[in-house]
Amino acid sequence: MYNIIGKKKIWFTFSGILMAVSIIVLSVWGLRLGIDFSGGSLLEISYSTDRPDLNTMEQSLTEFELESLKIQPAGEHEYILRFEEIDEDTHQNILSKLQTEDNQLNENRFEAIGPSIGNELKTKAIQSIIIVLLFIVIYIAYAFRKVSKPVASWKYGISAIIALVHDILIITGIFAVLGYFFRVEVDSLFVTALLTILGFSIHDTIVTFDRTRENLIKNKDESFDDIINISVNQTIVRSLNTSITTLFVLLAIYIFGGETIKNFVLALILGVIIGTYSSIFIASPLLSMWHKKK
């Protein structure tokens, strides 16, 4: 049996370093916001035959002097273009410029989001995450209401929330780095990924906490740290199996899926890895820390 709880200082130190680095990069670089949050235009086009190369596309649009222009291949014949907010005349001129004589151009989608709508979406995204965290605390405190010794039931909820904040902070820190070096943007799909990660991570944590609750009844002669360690070791194989099989699916989607969902899937992959780690090495050791302080 691996002594996970006995080495909690190692896990806390490692996670503390990751969280500190994430806070620094978020403070210095911030997230690279997509048009969902910052405002702008999204144009999705397709060609009847082979699409022009990226250099040709960029040169065709030079005269429009578009700010934050990003051209992303999608599928075999499609492109997704992101740029500043434009009027309808400019929109039609861009379509005309991209049209070629021997290759039919089709407009699949055009969306324009103003800055005010982008700010509203950003505010609602933050609110949705906070509300989810609040309800998780309430649910766990209620589910473990009969567990009052040696750690109060609400501390289970707080421990789970700290682990979730750990997950979200590290993932957003990674995307801040990706945004700075590789121009990776975050959009509404990124928020969806974060909410999904919260659900996945808390599920693993509750399973371990529930086993701890059972072992508190069965092993009354054991110390609290030993009971937590037994519980984590009893559930670790299940957690790893669930996470690994999920990662297989996500990796397949990331490799063979479309370009438009790659960042979304990448966030999920990181979330599964970090969420599994926090469920095993952060959430349960935090219970031990509560007990030691008490």
Side-chain angles (χ1 to χ4, degrees):
M1 183 180 295
Y2 190 67
N3 188 13
I4 294 173
I5 304 303
K7 298 181 179 180
K8 58 180 176 288
K9 290 183 179 180
I10 298 175
W11 321 132
F12 289 162
T13 301
F14 177 67
S15 293
I17 293 172
L18 291 179
M19 293 174 71
V21 172
S22 297
I23 291 172
I24 292 172
V25 298
L26 284 169
S27 301
V28 176
W29 297 333
L31 292 169
R32 188 177 184 84
L33 300 178
I35 65 170
D36 290 359
F37 299 129
S38 61
S41 301
L42 183 147
L43 175 63
E44 183 177 343
I45 59 174
S46 61
Y47 288 91
S48 57
T49 58
D50 293 339
R51 63 193 174 201
D53 58 50
L54 279 173
N55 290 333
T56 302
M57 296 285 290
E58 291 173 352
Q59 291 174 3
S60 300
L61 299 174
T62 301
E63 65 181 82
F64 297 101
E65 299 181 350
L66 299 172
E67 295 182 4
S68 304
L69 174 63
K70 182 178 180 181
I71 304 175
Q72 181 179 5
E76 296 183 359
H77 305 291
E78 295 81 21
Y79 273 120
I80 297 175
L81 293 81
R82 293 180 173 87
F83 39 81
E84 64 187 80
E85 188 176 5
I86 58 174
D87 55 34
E88 184 58 26
D89 290 338
T90 306
H91 170 214
Q92 295 302 324
N93 290 334
I94 289 174
L95 292 176
S96 299
K97 192 69 177 179
L98 295 176
Q99 177 68 61
T100 59
E101 295 181 359
D102 56 347
N103 199 349
Q104 180 64 38
L105 171 69
N106 295 311
E107 181 182 27
N108 300 333
R109 178 172 52 140
F110 178 74
E111 297 177 359
I113 300 176
S116 60
I117 297 177
N119 288 330
E120 182 180 353
L121 287 173
K122 183 165 57 178
T123 302
K124 288 185 175 180
I126 296 172
Q127 290 174 347
S128 64
I129 293 175
I130 293 174
I131 291 172
V132 168
L133 293 175
L134 178 62
F135 273 96
I136 287 174
V137 172
I138 295 172
Y139 170 74
I140 294 179
Y142 176 79
F144 290 83
R145 65 192 183 280
K146 295 182 180 180
V147 182
S148 58
K149 294 180 180 180
V151 173
S153 60
W154 61 269
K155 292 182 179 179
Y156 284 80
I158 298 300
S159 298
I161 291 304
I162 293 174
L164 293 178
V165 171
H166 161 276
D167 300 344
I168 297 299
L169 185 58
I170 293 176
I171 292 169
T172 52
I174 292 173
F175 268 80
V177 173
L178 293 175
Y180 183 80
F181 288 105
F182 303 103
R183 303 178 65 85
V184 174
E185 297 179 346
V186 299
D187 51 18
S188 55
L189 274 180
F190 179 72
V191 178
T192 305
L194 292 183
L195 294 173
T196 306
I197 291 163
L198 290 179
F200 183 91
S201 181
I202 197 62
H203 177 265
D204 259 1
T205 301
I206 288 178
V207 168
T208 306
F209 283 177
D210 197 51
R211 185 58 61 90
T212 301
R213 176 173 59 178
E214 294 174 358
N215 287 329
L216 281 171
I217 300 172
K218 295 178 182 179
N219 304 286
K220 294 182 179 179
D221 296 333
E222 300 282 351
S223 68
F224 188 58
D225 278 10
D226 287 340
I227 290 174
I228 297 174
N229 196 62
I230 291 170
S231 303
V232 173
N233 278 273
Q234 287 175 344
T235 56
I236 190 171
V237 174
R238 173 211 168 275
S239 297
L240 291 175
N241 287 339
T242 302
S243 299
I244 291 171
T245 52
T246 304
L247 283 174
F248 285 153
V249 177
L250 292 175
L251 286 171
I253 297 173
Y254 184 80
I255 295 171
F256 302 108
E259 291 289 332
T260 55
I261 62 170
K262 279 206 167 184
N263 292 339
F264 169 71
V265 178
L266 177 60
L268 290 179
I269 291 172
L270 294 172
V272 169
I273 296 171
I274 298 170
T276 303
Y277 164 79
S278 68
S279 297
I280 298 170
F281 298 101
I282 300 299
S284 291
L286 280 171
L287 290 178
S288 172
M289 187 187 71
W290 285 114
H291 181 244
K292 294 290 184 184
K293 286 190 175 182
K294 181 180 178 182

